[in-house]
Amino acid sequence: PDDPDSPTGDADSPSLDRDQLAKAAARDTRTAGQRNHDALKTGLRHLLGSGVLGSHRGLPVTAIVTFGLDQLESETGVATTASGGIVPIRDALAMFEGAHPVLVLFDHHGRPLHLGRSKRLASADQRLALIAASRGCTRPGCDAPATMTAVHHLKEWNDGGATDIESLDLACDPCHALVHDGPGGWQTRTAPRDSENAGRTEWTPPAHIDPDRQPRVNHRHHLDELLARALERAQARKVSDLRHRRDAAP
Ligand SMILES: [Zn+2]
């Protein structure tokens, strides 16, 4: 594939230059394993680009990759996929070669992220926005990736809840079934503005799981945030240790 002089197309076609093909084959030093890998990759690429794969939970079957603007600019770090994988940014950018680049800025203007009571089911745009923000099921401790989740109304549709982006988040089917007003049910809400996890979806466990009924968010899909907070704490400890030693010095 890295040989620009290698002929492409049907190897049995009479219009193909046999001489050119034989020379290209003689130059090809790839191992049998590498050639099989490259052939499989070419086949899968054609299939993914064909547009015949239908849809999954309202989105076309395609790779959904999420990363930050700073990662895009520096071309470092990792991107997350909707199925729970991680991909180095360089590989993610390479995947976009030959794809239609679509840049979507979710600014609550122009894109239909607010459907109010006009529709019960979330739109494909809303689902993409939620995949970018939540990355997977939002119940604390659940590791179900975004592809295994449905869009959950924080205020149930039957109770007058709206299909607006602030009132929706991702939950896998088993977790979704745990949310109800009956005994032993979990409750969900958006974390208040002044709280540590402002804007994220908090889940309140029933009293038999947590007698204090402390609301919690899911950190499983946001390990980068946990790492950043741990580094911040370690840095603060180091600074306070240094101050302590300086003050204690004679
Ligand atoms: Zn879940």
Side-chain angles (χ1 to χ4, degrees), residues 12-90:
D12 295 329
S13 165
S15 62
L16 201 80
D17 187 335
R18 318 302 308 175
D19 198 37
Q20 200 190 2
L21 182 66
K23 281 182 182 160
R27 284 196 302 270
D28 187 354
T29 56
R30 288 174 298 163
T31 62
Q34 184 66 47
R35 284 202 302 273
N36 287 339
H37 166 273
D38 293 347
L40 179 66
K41 191 170 146 186
T42 303
L44 290 175
R45 183 170 287 171
H46 280 292
L47 179 68
L48 286 170
S50 68
V52 299
L53 288 174
S55 63
H56 171 70
R57 294 198 190 250
L59 285 180
V61 174
T62 185
I64 301 173
V65 181
T66 307
F67 49 83
L69 195 57
D70 50 338
Q71 292 167 308
L72 179 64
E73 283 169 350
S74 63
E75 290 189 30
T76 56
V78 293
T80 53
T81 72
S83 53
I86 51 172
V87 187
I89 292 291
R90 279 170 191 279

Side-chain angles (χ1 to χ4, degrees), residues 221-232:
H221 307 286
H222 302 267
L223 295 178
D224 45 342
E225 291 173 3
L226 286 182
L227 190 63
R229 273 183 211 171
L231 284 173
E232 238 169 60

Side-chain angles (χ1 to χ4, degrees), residues 3 20 41 66 85 143 156 177 179 183 188 204 238:
D3 182 355
Q20 200 190 2
K41 191 170 146 186
T66 307
D143 60 2
E156 287 299 335
V179 184
T188 54
T204 305
K238 210 162 137 190

Side-chain angles (χ1 to χ4, degrees), residues 137 139 142 144 172 175:
C137 179
R139 189 171 76 90
C142 182
C172 70
C175 290

